[in-house]
Amino acid sequence: MGEVRPPDTGPGTAIPPARFVTGSTFRHVVTMGATGSVGLMAIFVVDLLSLLYIARLGDPVLTAAVGFATIVQVFAVSINIGMMIAVGALVSRALGGGDVGQARRLAASSLVLSVAASAAVTALLLPLLTPLLTLIGATAETIPAARTFLWIALPSTLLMALGMGFSGVLRAVGDARRSMNVTLAGAAVTAALDPLLIFGLGLGIEGAAITVVLARLAFAWVGFSGAVRIHRMVARPSPAAVLADAGPILRVALPTVLTNLAPPVASAFLAHVMAGFGTATVAGNAVVDRMVPVAFGGLFALSGAVGPILGQNWGAARFDRMRAALRDATLVTGLYVAAVWLALVLARGPLTALFGLEGAGADLLGFFCFAGGAIWFFNGLLFLGNASFNNLGFPLAASALNWGRATLGTMPPALLGAHLAGPEGAMAGMGIGSALFGVVGLALAFRVVGVLERREAASLGAEAERPVGEPVP
């Protein structure tokens, strides 16, 4: 399509196109996972601080409202995550095969489609906020505050679509530091502005929502600086290129988006179950929802880190390194969860006091601290499986597993657990489903690598048997 290679960006700015096909896979997993964790954890920590500031206003209705608003917002954010995974998978594979021009064009087309999808979802959600909030259990008390938050914050998901897309490009080229800086920028803005707007200017929940918008603006700008201005890994988009690339991109993105919509459905269902136990339980569940990414954000980052490593090595036909990366990622998952689990158990008392939770809300947070490690270890295995499927051409497998966990692995056991043991039983029931789907997901990921290896061997065998001079079909 007339694409040219990017010009020389000068000393210190060029990143080797396929850095993951050599060197220690364990080091690559740890480096990409750790830097990704820093950025994600920074965002999740300041999100938790934002909820803490709202909780400090002394109105549990506002705390619950932010929790419900977050669940609705996650549906829009999930679209962006799916598109980010798609751009990372396609760009990393093109780089692994040595085609920088194709990688740049795919990056540009993916960003255009990502923003368009985010705009469409936002336009769909805004008129439906009241019925959606009611569906997940919000009451007449909490709906007005949740609607206010969402009308301000939800349109900024377009900025997040750009930021996540640029971050996916940076991950694909292996620039862990600049990918981390994208999320750190948003976290820094949130940390600085939240207390100023919520307390200093007395804007309350509106101040928290305005901060979300400004943080996402910083998110997009820093991502643009790294992916476009420094690496020059995003070509100038054109309608012809977007139309030509839409098929390959959407074949990865649509199942990936479908995969990422499953967790919010599970969260919404659990919130609906918790709503039946009163406002205190809803507030406790809102705190747990914000604590999960803070405590286990490293698992999200780890799955994002594994994708480009698998993609580059698939492009280079290094199946041995793909298996090694999965084994190393599983080991890191276990070590990480063990450390976090111990920290949660030791900190359960101070955390309950910090958020001012009492009664059923305090009990739910305490149970999460005791049981969360077991639940999230298996979720981490499922994340690794999904990263493998999404980056290795089997995105429908990720969709099937995630929706299986969100439905069969969440709804029946959560309802049964709630009936037998209240809110804690609902959380435990969801954990049992996670264990089953996590083990299956990781086992299938190793199987996928074997399938791809056999396909490659068959292709090479057919090529070797073809008579010299016979055209390739």
Side-chain angles (χ1 to χ4, degrees):
M1 300 190 61
E3 184 62 61
V4 297
R5 285 183 175 270
D8 184 11
T9 55
T13 60
I15 297 291
R19 66 187 309 176
F20 298 134
V21 300
T22 59
S24 166
T25 55
F26 184 82
R27 179 171 56 82
H28 289 317
V29 168
V30 172
T31 300
M32 292 295 290
T35 51
S37 294
V38 171
L40 280 178
M41 297 283 278
I43 282 188
F44 296 145
V45 165
V46 294
D47 277 351
L48 187 64
L49 286 175
S50 180
L51 184 66
L52 176 61
Y53 296 145
I54 295 297
R56 288 297 182 182
L57 293 174
D59 187 351
V61 170
L62 292 180
T63 305
V66 172
F68 285 122
T70 300
I71 292 170
V72 172
Q73 195 167 213
V74 163
F75 282 96
V77 173
S78 295
I79 305 293
N80 296 340
I81 294 173
M83 295 300 295
M84 178 186 71
I85 292 171
V87 67
L90 293 168
V91 171
S92 64
R93 187 181 179 191
L95 289 175
D99 195 338
V100 178
Q102 183 189 30
R104 296 180 69 236
R105 191 194 70 239
L106 286 169
S109 298
S110 297
L111 286 166
V112 171
L113 293 172
S114 181
V115 172
S118 185
V121 171
T122 300
L124 178 66
L125 288 177
L126 285 175
L128 300 175
L129 290 182
T130 297
L132 284 173
L133 289 166
T134 302
L135 183 64
I136 61 177
T139 63
E141 279 185 303
T142 55
I143 285 176
R147 279 177 50 88
T148 297
F149 184 95
L150 287 167
W151 268 101
I152 297 171
L154 197 56
S156 67
T157 52
L158 277 73
L159 295 170
M160 177 169 269
L162 281 174
M164 284 188 166
F166 290 134
S167 179
V169 172
L170 291 168
R171 288 182 184 179
V173 301
D175 192 344
R177 180 176 61 84
R178 287 192 175 90
S179 179
M180 174 186 70
N181 288 342
V182 174
T183 46
L184 280 178
V189 169
T190 305
L193 293 184
D194 246 345
L196 174 64
L197 296 182
I198 293 173
F199 298 117
L201 298 182
L203 295 178
I205 199 168
E206 292 93 339
I210 293 169
T211 299
V212 168
V213 177
L214 296 175
R216 289 173 177 175
L217 180 62
F219 193 68
W221 173 250
V222 174
F224 172 85
S225 298
V228 178
R229 298 178 65 186
I230 294 175
H231 287 297
R232 305 191 186 183
M233 277 303 301
V234 182
R236 186 182 298 276
S238 72
V242 172
L243 288 174
D245 295 333
I249 291 170
L250 293 178
R251 277 196 292 272
V252 177
L254 289 179
T256 305
V257 167
L258 185 63
T259 299
N260 281 280
L261 285 174
V265 167
S267 295
F269 180 82
L270 189 62
H272 177 78
V273 172
M274 296 298 183
F277 294 98
T279 301
T281 298
V282 171
N285 190 54
V287 172
V288 169
D289 279 345
R290 290 296 182 94
M291 279 193 59
V292 160
V294 173
F296 299 105
L299 300 181
F300 302 120
L302 186 60
S303 63
V306 167
I309 297 171
L310 292 173
Q312 285 194 11
N313 282 286
W314 182 27
R318 291 298 309 272
F319 301 100
D320 57 327
R321 292 180 59 81
M322 294 164 70
R323 291 191 184 88
L326 282 175
R327 288 193 297 268
D328 293 337
T330 303
L331 174 60
V332 173
T333 295
L335 295 174
Y336 174 84
V337 168
V340 171
W341 195 357
L342 178 61
L344 284 173
V345 171
L346 295 177
R348 65 191 185 281
L351 286 172
T352 301
L354 182 65
F355 285 93
L357 295 175
E358 297 178 351
D363 292 341
L364 185 63
L365 178 59
F367 181 80
F368 166 74
C369 291
F370 274 113
I375 295 171
W376 279 89
F377 171 71
F378 292 106
N379 282 338
L381 298 185
L382 181 59
F383 292 165
L384 293 179
N386 287 341
S388 303
F389 305 138
N390 288 328
N391 284 273
L392 300 179
F394 292 83
L396 289 177
S399 297
L401 281 173
N402 251 25
W403 279 99
R405 186 183 73 91
T407 53
L408 295 177
T410 296
M411 296 176 182
L415 286 173
L416 179 61
H419 176 71
L420 296 176
E424 294 85 354
M427 186 177 291
M430 189 172 68
I432 292 171
S434 297
L436 173 62
F437 283 91
V439 171
V440 171
L442 185 63
L444 288 178
F446 280 99
R447 183 178 178 84
V448 161
V449 174
V451 168
L452 294 176
E453 187 173 24
R454 287 191 292 274
R455 287 181 182 176
E456 180 72 12
S459 175
L460 291 175
E463 184 71 25
E465 293 173 3
R466 184 178 297 113
V468 176
E470 180 178 325
V472 177

